[in-house]
Amino acid sequence: MVRYVLKRLVWLIFTLWLICSLVFFLSKAVPGTCLDWQLGEFGQTINSTKITTGQSGNKPVIPLFYFSVHSRAVPDTLYRMQPEQHQQFFKNLILLSGNRAAVQAFYQTIINLQKSAAQLPNLTLSEKQQLRYQLELIFALADKTQLEQALLRIKNQVSTRSYPVSYREKVTLAQQQCQAIFKKKQILNVLMPAVTWYGFTNEYHIWFTNFIQGNLGTSCLNQDPVNEVIAEAFANTFVITVLSLGLIFILASELSIWLSNARRAKWKQTILSLLYALDSVPLFIVALILITLFASNSYFNIFPAFGSAPDSVPGVPAYLTWVYQLPYLALPVISLTLSGLPYVTGQTYQAIQQLLSREFVLVAKAKGLPEQLVLRRHVWRNALLTLITLFTGFLPVIITGAVIIENIFAIPGMGRLLYHTILARDFPVLIGIVLYLGLIKILAHVLADILYYLADPRIKVPA
Amino acid sequence: MNVIADNSRRKKAGKWRWTERLAGGYLLLFLIVAFMLPFTGMVQHPYENLNPGPISQPPFIFSSGLGSNNSSIYWLGTDGTGQDVLANLIYGARTALIVSVPAMVLATIIGVGLGCLAGFWGNSGLRVLVVNLVINVILLLVGLYYIIYIRQVHWLNAFKVGSSKVLLESGIALLTLFSLGVLGWLLAKFFKNFGFKKQITLPIDHVVLRLIEVVGAIPRLLLVMCLVAFVQPSLINVIFLAAFTYWTGIARLVRAELLQIKELPYIEAARVAGMSDVRILLKQALPNALPPVIVAVAFGLGSLISLEATLSYLGIGIPLEEASWGKIIKGILQNSDAWWLVVFPTLTLCFTVLSLQIVAERILKEITPTRQDF
């Protein structure tokens, strides 16, 4: 038993590491850094004092992984080139032509043009910025004709206005260098692979050692430690999840026992069809209907619609404040329960129906036990195994449900955090959420194994 | 031979009940409306309609807009921006189809393929030459290097330009893989002549099960949401992500079915008759494993349609310019009196999902009448 659980645990932790690494690499593959994403998406709304722009510039640039496989034409110190877009531009041109020297020269000329644009006389500030912007746009291109067109446009602009001759010559030089790149191709150089070993000072190694020690880094959004951010959100999610899980399983087993009672044949079909129909309603619609009916001014305004109760209420002892949370939690928990109930009830009901035809039920009935007792003491105990299996399978559904519910009811839990994380591309927090939700699932699996054993000691867990 | 015997005394599955007729009819209507109507030009795409009607008009008011030159009737009312809910519903149906059907087809292909490998050959069924394996793995890595790394610029440019370039790139990729495959075959033959004849068994079942576990370690919607964070919102991306997360159920199902089927006597008989493994799998085993897959596909379609609505409700992954049921429903948040924004999309959504389930069960009965007892 212990060996089995341990084996399982080790394997699942390996799985988690795999997934977290995958998310890590994907987050590195997405162009731009944390900062770029925020400036792009929340340029106006973000609190500018919290962003420490200088910091990211001073950080030493380190390679991504222990080694890299690249074309021999591409320099192995490419990762040091900043910003990232230039890196991509440089690599693209080399992969197209293989002529590293020519690409290097062309790149240097463009950078020079950009720098010297600031010192041009007879130009207004906005014109200088315009020129720099146009030059920067070149770095987004990796196509011969597009590059030449862009250079031609800059050339035309330079020759119509009163730019210094030296500057005009430099633009012409850039054009020539651009042509040279594609004229003297060294394709063989591109096709040959090369492997570079970078050693242990790489991003992945640092991330991974921190990851093992439980340090998940800081959030991109406001530099808070990821663990704190998640811990804050977790409490709310935990309450909702546990409450609705409990409700679902209690209601499901009661309902299926009630339905199994032979005298209720008339009700049976109606309720089963109702549950079947309810199963096809997506959770967010259930929640929206509840919110419209019971929390808006249009119909019955019984429950508060959004948010959570204040943390401390004056005149009430601290341990009683959670009571004030209940009205806020009622609708979310009800909608989660409603959406989970059909599936669990259906499965339990079927399990009970199968058990009812077994011999031990007949024996119990033959002994003259009342039907209620047979159902509760003999059948239900055996149906418990199905319920336990369902429990592990059902936990992910509840967690996903919490994501939707928390968004609709604006509860500051993991689901809402996840939503905002995704919108803000806050990858450290995303990795943290994936890790902790995975851990919860693992724990549920192990718990189910133990419960299995407790419910029916005859079961030999496969070693 | 009991399966063959069962099939020979196949009995009629009985008449279609009225619920099944209704469900089938509804699905047919749904397909026609979603595919045909947008092409006839009778309904305008809700986000391209430049002269919207009255804002938040309740449904079933048939006086054509008084005092305006807009003479259309809004059968199911309008939303907060004055767009027709009915047109929105029809285009939303199209989006739901465009996302769910290709995603499910992809997921089924992946799932059936991997499920077959795992279930039919198991951990000991597939023996390969070590030389063969080593050569193929090396050549695959080489191929990936050339196709993905070296040609990454071309791929990016191709995706920017459009379909013809993408096809060209895919052609080059296939050609590279094919020539590498031929090379591998020749090399393996060459080495075999020199006495490299050691064989090992591939534990495919293990690998596929672990793969299923890895993908299943995170809840499905969560996985889709996480992956959506990495890509631009577009329908194609959502389709691929959904396929990537939905194949596991089908793979598990096919694997379980094949594990049972491959122990049946008629497979043994086919083996004795000298049929090759691949032929047995395709001609004998797989056809008998597919019926439960049909049900799983129908349920999967239903849940994908719900997923699409949920994603568009949350505003993740589905691009802004696509009409979707989830987006109509979202309108209730601005105006809680507008019940028609919830009722009609919800009814269509639920009817679609329910009909899919009912029809799937009916089809299962038609194909395997002996199965209907469980």
Side-chain angles (χ1 to χ4, degrees):
Chain A
M1 176 73 190
V2 175
R3 230 184 109 205
Y4 169 73
V5 169
L6 271 180
K7 209 168 149 187
R8 196 154 180 168
L9 216 62
V10 168
W11 167 251
L12 285 167
I13 284 172
F14 171 75
T15 311
L16 260 186
W17 160 76
L18 213 65
I19 293 172
C20 286
S21 294
L22 182 77
V23 177
F24 174 78
F25 283 118
L26 278 176
S27 72
K28 294 294 167 188
V30 171
T33 57
C34 251
L35 207 69
D36 297 337
W37 277 110
Q38 279 172 42
L39 293 177
E41 306 244 321
F42 298 98
Q44 285 82 39
T45 55
I46 198 103
N47 188 355
S48 56
T49 52
K50 283 200 169 175
I51 300 175
T52 44
T53 322
Q55 222 176 37
S56 66
N58 296 334
K59 261 189 204 160
V61 185
I62 48 177
L64 180 63
F65 197 56
Y66 299 102
F67 63 88
S68 80
V69 181
H70 54 90
S71 162
R72 214 168 63 183
V74 176
D76 55 4
T77 52
L78 185 71
Y79 65 89
R80 286 194 200 138
M81 189 179 273
Q82 290 291 333
E84 231 170 288
Q85 201 187 15
H86 292 200
Q87 224 177 81
Q88 195 60 41
F89 171 76
F90 201 75
K91 189 167 81 182
N92 283 345
L93 278 189
I94 288 183
L95 285 181
L96 280 175
S97 75
N99 194 341
R100 195 202 294 182
V103 175
Q104 179 78 43
F106 176 60
Y107 175 74
Q108 215 55 55
T109 314
I110 302 279
I111 292 286
N112 274 339
L113 276 174
Q114 255 190 334
K115 273 185 190 152
S116 51
Q119 281 118 42
L120 285 177
N122 318 332
L123 278 182
T124 63
L125 198 63
S126 69
E127 276 175 322
K128 280 177 191 170
Q129 271 174 349
Q130 167 96 29
L131 184 64
R132 280 174 65 101
Y133 178 68
Q134 267 189 318
L135 284 165
E136 189 64 39
L137 275 186
I138 288 181
F139 294 123
L141 304 173
D143 185 286
K144 191 187 167 195
T145 45
Q146 280 178 344
L147 268 178
E148 280 171 352
Q149 276 169 7
L151 282 172
L152 199 67
R153 236 176 288 135
I154 292 171
K155 174 91 184 280
N156 285 340
Q157 194 188 332
V158 169
S159 45
T160 49
R161 299 290 305 266
S162 56
Y163 285 68
V165 183
S166 62
Y167 199 81
R168 214 178 302 168
E169 277 169 357
K170 263 193 220 161
V171 176
T172 322
L173 180 68
Q175 274 182 316
Q176 284 163 357
Q177 280 168 335
C178 178
Q179 275 167 356
I181 290 175
F182 294 101
K183 225 176 254 172
K184 291 176 204 148
K185 283 188 180 177
Q186 296 169 351
I187 292 301
L188 209 63
N189 216 356
V190 178
L191 293 183
M192 295 302 286
V195 179
T196 312
W197 174 261
Y198 291 116
F200 289 101
T201 44
N202 59 58
E203 278 185 59
Y204 180 74
H205 187 78
I206 292 167
W207 172 80
F208 185 58
T209 40
N210 282 331
F211 181 74
I212 287 179
Q213 290 159 6
N215 173 13
L216 295 173
T218 56
S219 153
C220 283
L221 221 53
N222 43 21
Q223 309 296 324
D224 288 336
V226 171
N227 281 328
E228 270 177 33
V229 175
I230 290 178
E232 220 171 276
F234 180 71
N236 285 314
T237 310
F238 186 74
V239 173
I240 294 176
T241 314
V242 167
L243 274 181
S244 40
L245 255 181
L247 263 180
I248 287 174
F249 280 90
I250 291 170
L251 281 180
S253 58
E254 284 302 315
L255 197 61
S256 42
I257 286 176
W258 189 82
L259 283 175
S260 304
N261 219 327
R263 275 167 293 158
R264 273 133 196 170
K266 209 170 32 170
W267 283 90
K268 207 182 288 179
Q269 212 44 51
T270 328
I271 288 189
L272 282 179
S273 328
L274 252 176
L275 286 176
Y276 198 66
L278 189 62
D279 200 21
S280 69
V281 186
L283 172 61
F284 76 100
I285 293 179
V286 175
L288 271 181
I289 291 174
L290 283 181
I291 229 180
T292 321
L293 283 184
F294 297 111
S296 77
N297 291 322
S298 317
Y299 304 97
F300 317 99
N301 197 353
I302 304 173
F303 295 108
F306 299 114
S308 56
D311 283 335
S312 57
V313 185
V316 175
Y319 60 88
L320 271 180
T321 46
W322 66 270
V323 174
Y324 287 85
Q325 294 277 356
L326 282 183
Y328 290 90
L329 291 180
L331 282 183
V333 170
I334 290 172
S335 32
L336 262 182
T337 311
L338 273 183
S339 81
L341 197 59
Y343 180 72
V344 181
T345 312
Q347 297 283 327
T348 319
Y349 176 72
Q350 270 185 0
I352 288 181
Q353 289 304 305
Q354 276 179 8
L355 287 170
L356 278 178
S357 62
R358 297 269 288 274
E359 276 125 5
F360 68 86
V361 179
L362 204 67
V363 171
K365 278 184 185 161
K367 279 195 297 186
L369 291 180
E371 196 179 357
Q372 197 65 22
L373 202 69
V374 175
L375 272 174
R376 288 209 179 261
R377 202 164 286 165
H378 295 249
V379 177
W380 188 73
R381 170 106 196 188
N382 280 286
L384 210 59
L385 290 180
T386 318
L387 275 174
I388 291 168
T389 322
L390 276 174
F391 167 72
T392 26
F394 210 69
L395 197 76
V397 181
I398 288 287
I399 290 174
T400 6
V403 175
I404 299 167
I405 287 296
E406 284 171 12
N407 272 306
I408 292 175
F409 291 96
I411 299 162
M414 295 268 268
R416 202 169 160 71
L417 182 68
L418 177 77
Y419 179 70
H420 287 296
T421 299
I422 287 168
L423 288 186
R425 305 287 207 278
D426 191 353
F427 292 119
V429 179
L430 186 63
I431 291 176
I433 292 175
V434 169
L435 175 73
Y436 283 113
L437 289 185
L439 275 179
I440 290 174
K441 205 185 162 188
I442 288 173
L443 287 182
H445 266 295
V446 174
L447 187 67
D449 281 341
I450 295 169
L451 285 178
Y452 240 89
Y453 183 73
L454 289 181
D456 190 352
R458 287 170 308 172
I459 289 178
K460 280 270 185 289
V461 182
Chain B
M1 301 264 175
N2 48 8
V3 171
I4 297 170
D6 280 346
N7 281 346
S8 69
R9 55 185 156 79
R10 167 178 293 202
K11 53 181 187 277
K12 277 262 174 264
K15 271 190 174 170
W16 285 51
R17 291 191 318 193
W18 68 269
T19 43
E20 290 163 347
R21 280 163 198 269
L22 186 69
Y26 172 79
L27 279 188
L28 213 62
L29 185 78
F30 177 82
L31 276 179
I32 292 170
V33 166
F35 267 123
M36 297 300 167
L37 266 185
F39 290 112
T40 57
M42 277 160 65
V43 278
Q44 276 222 309
H45 191 288
Y47 297 100
E48 288 162 6
N49 190 356
L50 290 177
N51 46 349
I55 286 167
S56 293
Q57 179 185 295
F60 313 125
I61 291 177
F62 298 122
S63 58
S64 53
L66 289 170
S68 73
N69 47 10
N70 201 339
S71 61
S72 42
I73 296 173
Y74 302 101
W75 293 90
L76 300 184
T78 58
D79 66 6
T81 54
Q83 301 295 358
D84 188 11
V85 170
L86 185 62
N88 237 326
L89 265 186
I90 290 167
Y91 277 87
R94 201 185 56 159
T95 311
L97 271 185
I98 289 175
V99 170
S100 63
V101 173
M104 210 55 227
V105 168
L106 259 181
T108 312
I109 291 172
I110 302 173
V112 169
L114 288 178
C116 279
L117 282 178
F120 194 69
W121 280 290
N123 278 329
S124 55
L126 203 62
R127 294 182 68 78
V128 288
L129 286 172
V130 177
V131 191
N132 236 330
L133 189 71
V134 171
I135 290 175
N136 279 318
V137 167
I138 291 175
L139 283 181
L140 189 69
L141 288 179
V142 170
L144 287 181
Y145 170 77
Y146 284 119
I147 292 169
I148 295 176
Y149 179 79
I150 296 291
R151 297 202 66 85
Q152 56 180 316
V153 203
H154 300 272
W155 278 110
L156 282 180
N157 281 336
F159 276 117
K160 269 181 209 157
V161 172
S163 60
S164 64
K165 280 274 176 111
V166 176
L167 284 180
L168 181 75
E169 275 308 308
S170 315
I172 292 174
L174 279 180
L175 199 70
T176 319
L177 274 184
F178 178 73
S179 45
L180 281 174
V182 171
L183 183 70
W185 182 67
L186 287 174
L187 274 177
K189 242 184 160 179
F190 176 75
F191 277 109
K192 212 174 155 187
N193 286 340
F194 281 90
F196 290 94
K197 280 187 181 154
K198 195 166 181 274
Q199 283 192 327
I200 50 161
T201 49
L202 287 183
I204 301 181
D205 196 26
H206 251 17
V207 174
V208 172
L209 280 182
R210 294 295 92 86
L211 213 61
I212 290 176
E213 250 172 64
V214 169
V215 175
I218 306 181
R220 195 176 271 163
L221 178 76
L222 207 73
L223 194 60
V224 173
M225 280 174 79
C226 283
L227 292 175
V228 160
F230 296 105
V231 294
Q232 297 299 318
S234 84
L235 288 186
I236 296 275
N237 286 336
V238 171
I239 289 170
F240 277 113
L241 294 182
F244 175 70
T245 47
Y246 272 72
W247 64 267
T248 52
I250 288 176
R252 207 176 278 177
L253 205 64
V254 172
R255 175 182 171 272
E257 284 289 312
L258 281 179
L259 277 182
Q260 282 181 0
I261 287 173
K262 84 175 177 185
E263 300 301 329
L264 291 178
Y266 77 97
I267 299 290
E268 195 62 37
R271 254 201 200 113
V272 172
M275 282 172 97
S276 71
D277 268 3
V278 179
R279 216 176 121 96
I280 294 174
L281 173 66
L282 292 181
K283 296 256 163 164
Q284 313 282 330
L286 200 53
N288 285 315
L290 285 183
V293 174
I294 293 173
V295 178
V297 166
F299 274 78
L301 274 179
S303 93
L304 270 170
I305 290 175
S306 299
L307 176 81
E308 187 266 329
T310 309
L311 281 181
S312 61
Y313 173 81
L314 291 175
I316 310 176
I318 309 286
L320 286 174
E321 66 275 6
E322 296 290 342
S324 167
W325 295 338
K327 271 180 211 158
I328 314 174
I329 296 170
K330 208 176 182 177
I332 190 80
L333 292 183
Q334 271 94 50
N335 178 6
S336 59
D337 287 323
W339 53 270
W340 58 95
L341 293 182
V342 172
V343 169
F344 298 118
T346 304
L347 284 182
T348 17
L349 187 60
C350 298
F351 270 152
T352 315
V353 176
L354 261 180
S355 305
L356 274 170
Q357 292 171 359
I358 291 171
V359 168
E361 269 160 27
R362 177 71 213 185
I363 290 173
L364 186 69
K365 269 189 213 167
E366 292 276 322
I367 309 176
T368 53
T370 48
R371 263 179 206 267
Q372 58 184 302
D373 296 334
F374 59 87

